[in-house]
Amino acid sequence: MSDKKLRIIPIGGLGEVGKNMMIYEYGQNILIVDAGLMFPENDMLGIDYIIPDFHYLLDKTHWVRGIVITHGHEDHTGAISHLLENVNAPIYTTPLTRGLAEIKLSKGGMISKAQFNTVQAGDEIRIGPFQVEFFHVCHSIPDGVGLGITSPAGLVVHSGDYKFDHTPVDGKPTDYAKLAELSGRGVLALLSDSTNADRLGWTPSERVIDSAFHDVFHNAKGRIIVASFASLISRMQQVGNAAIDFDRKMAFAGASMVENAKIARNLGYLDLPDDLIVSVDQALKMNPQQVVLMSTGTQGEPTSIMGRLSTGTNRQFDIMPGDTVVLSSHPIPGNEESVYRTINRLFRRGAHVIYENIAPVHVSGHASQEEMKFLFRLVKPKYFIPIHGELRHLSQHANIARQVGIPDDHIAVIENGWTVEFQNGQMSIGERIPGGYVFVDGAGVGDTGPSVVREREALARDGFVLVNLTLDQDSSNLIEEPEIITRGFILARGGEDFYKTTQTLVKDTVAGGDGGLQEDLEETIRTFIYNKTKRRPMVIVTLSRA
Ligand SMILES: [Zn+2]
Ligand SMILES: [Zn+2]
């Protein structure tokens, strides 16, 4: 052991679900684990996704020795292209994770900046002062790894997303032997996934889905459409297996599904015979009983295929009465409302909809409480830091750690930005680095702040009022009647009266005004409208002089 400190700094994923990113820092050396995105809550209008705030790294980019990505889900890979805009370091990942990340990077035009190093579970690699051992973990995507990270400060085990599935779809259980071996060496700290810390028992094996799908395929009279995440490769395998058993052809709908399936098949992570797969066009020409389509859109996203099918606005095909739609997923917290709205619409269009609450067509990829206890017993860490989850998940995970005998002062429940330091085998909580999150919308990265989102919310809720004034160049008197335009803002009664009164108000204010006329007017109109209607539309005053 050395007297230098190992610093562990969560940049994302602690205190929230998504945008996972962890910094391991030893001396002037940084190892980054994961760089994910988070999908916005439905009240963040116009935001495509949210990425971690890399601010801490910006003056230390030359310290970064490597980036390790644990698996191919977007909450672990989705911010890589943004990270590479700031950091120039090799990326270490397994083949499938690399394939899926490369698809995203080529879209963002960052593929040429990415130096990938393919690793396999079981490999051991030196990254600066860190000796990193990759071990296989089960999750809802193949080729996931957990990490043993040895620095002179000691051995840390980083679980990544994991579960203990004895009968996984790809036949590869979590590497218990490696975990036991790491344990034997003495584990200074465990950082493990808290996503399901509030779920009792064990997460069911992915295999339970097989019988649920068997029932669906057995009972379906028409087409079957299965919606899932584009990265749920093992679900594609299970749907494919059922399709073979029930003599249906399988088609992938939507660009991300098609691309991910292609990569996974090329790399051997998806075993589907060529004659099983047809294009969507071919599938649409076939007898409904002979096809199953897989698409994205399990979260009720209006622009996804499932969202468009539910509103009858999909380009290539529509829902037909007799279709069976399977939502093979769990709503991400916050999305429940839009998911159920989509389900209702699909029923209205004549589809029979099967979802998690009525049949086990989805199981979680994350460990439940008993698996968490099992991991503690297996790894026997001295210290514990719960990762991946909202504060309630992290706190519950800490409770579970206490149940298996980890003392309270050996557990660090922290949120993004807090640093945890290890020195001479002792853990302490250090400073909190500043940071927040960065919104990405169609227009760019980080130019959209919370205030822009608030404006969009105001617009969506209460509409806007636009007042155009034409003033005399010299006298600054109004030379035309103020033009008042409103959108999304309708007065239940007295609309006429409103325009007249507002015009009068505007004229009076202009007559008495001097500098700062626009702001004054906006404020006056806002107050006036609020007093009259209790609503707060956005008010914009424009001036032109003639
Ligand atoms: Zn995951
Ligand atoms: Zn995750």
Side-chain angles (χ1 to χ4, degrees), residues 91-109:
I91 303 170
Y92 300 86
T93 178
T94 56
L96 180 63
T97 309
R98 173 178 178 168
L100 295 172
E102 279 177 341
I103 294 176
K104 290 261 177 286
L105 287 172
S106 2
K107 273 186 204 147

Side-chain angles (χ1 to χ4, degrees), residues 71 73 75-76 139-141 161 366:
H71 66 283
H73 283 155
D75 58 326
H76 299 257
H139 185 38
S140 45
I141 186 169
D161 288 356
H366 301 270

Side-chain angles (χ1 to χ4, degrees), residues 1 6 153-156 186-190 381-384 422 425-426:
M1 256 170 224
L6 170 70
L155 167 61
V156 176
V187 172
L188 177 64
L190 172 69
K382 183 173 178 189
Y383 294 103
F384 171 56
F422 292 93
Q426 303 295 317

Side-chain angles (χ1 to χ4, degrees), residues 280-318:
V280 174
D281 279 332
Q282 286 170 300
L284 295 178
K285 288 186 198 120
M286 294 170 65
N287 182 328
Q289 286 172 24
Q290 292 175 330
V291 292
V292 53
L293 293 134
M294 262 197 104
S295 83
T296 53
T298 60
Q299 301 298 315
E301 313 94 307
T303 55
S304 68
I305 294 188
M306 205 41 72
R308 293 198 305 254
L309 283 173
S310 76
T311 52
T313 53
N314 191 41
R315 205 162 25 84
Q316 223 174 352
F317 62 100
D318 281 318

Side-chain angles (χ1 to χ4, degrees), residues 92-331:
Y92 300 86
T93 178
T94 56
L96 180 63
T97 309
R98 173 178 178 168
L100 295 172
E102 279 177 341
I103 294 176
K104 290 261 177 286
L105 287 172
S106 2
K107 273 186 204 147
M110 292 300 288
I111 191 75
S112 57
K113 282 198 93 179
Q115 323 153 36
F116 276 103
N117 293 277
T118 304
V119 295
Q120 302 285 353
D123 284 356
E124 194 172 332
I125 286 178
R126 183 110 202 144
I127 304 173
F130 304 99
Q131 190 74 14
V132 181
E133 293 164 81
F134 298 82
F135 58 89
H136 180 73
V137 290
C138 286
H139 185 38
S140 45
I141 186 169
D143 228 10
V145 287
L147 312 168
I149 303 170
T150 304
S151 70
L155 167 61
V156 176
V157 173
H158 184 111
S159 74
D161 288 356
Y162 77 99
K163 69 192 268 192
F164 289 117
D165 190 338
H166 303 305
T167 51
V169 170
D170 65 2
K172 293 180 185 158
T174 296
D175 192 346
Y176 310 96
K178 183 67 188 181
L179 284 165
E181 193 253 305
L182 293 169
S183 173
R185 279 189 246 156
V187 172
L188 177 64
L190 172 69
L191 282 71
S192 58
D193 178 21
S194 312
T195 307
N196 281 351
D198 52 8
R199 290 206 200 175
L200 296 170
W202 284 72
T203 302
S205 169
E206 279 186 314
R207 285 290 170 206
V208 305
I209 301 174
D210 286 344
S211 63
F213 272 122
H214 187 279
D215 290 347
V216 169
F217 276 69
H218 185 75
N219 294 327
K221 301 279 179 286
R223 295 187 303 195
I224 301 172
I225 304 169
V226 180
S228 189
F229 288 109
S231 57
L232 260 178
I233 308 294
S234 45
R235 206 56 46 83
M236 296 178 185
Q237 184 68 54
Q238 291 178 296
V239 172
N241 294 348
I244 295 169
D245 289 348
F246 286 86
D247 231 0
R248 287 181 185 247
K249 299 289 180 198
M250 182 177 185
F252 294 103
S256 53
M257 269 278 167
V258 171
E259 285 169 351
N260 288 0
K262 189 173 154 201
I263 282 285
R265 287 183 77 205
N266 285 345
L267 296 171
Y269 291 92
L270 191 53
D271 181 19
L272 303 172
D274 284 336
D275 65 354
L276 174 70
I277 309 293
V278 295
S279 70
V280 174
D281 279 332
Q282 286 170 300
L284 295 178
K285 288 186 198 120
M286 294 170 65
N287 182 328
Q289 286 172 24
Q290 292 175 330
V291 292
V292 53
L293 293 134
M294 262 197 104
S295 83
T296 53
T298 60
Q299 301 298 315
E301 313 94 307
T303 55
S304 68
I305 294 188
M306 205 41 72
R308 293 198 305 254
L309 283 173
S310 76
T311 52
T313 53
N314 191 41
R315 205 162 25 84
Q316 223 174 352
F317 62 100
D318 281 318
I319 290 290
M320 308 193 291
D323 282 348
T324 300
V325 174
V326 183
L327 295 186
S328 183
S329 67
H330 180 72

Side-chain angles (χ1 to χ4, degrees), residues 334-348:
N335 290 347
E336 292 86 351
E337 205 182 308
S338 59
V339 171
Y340 291 127
R341 203 180 306 129
T342 305
I343 292 174
N344 289 332
R345 286 180 180 143
L346 290 166
F347 271 116
R348 201 169 292 135

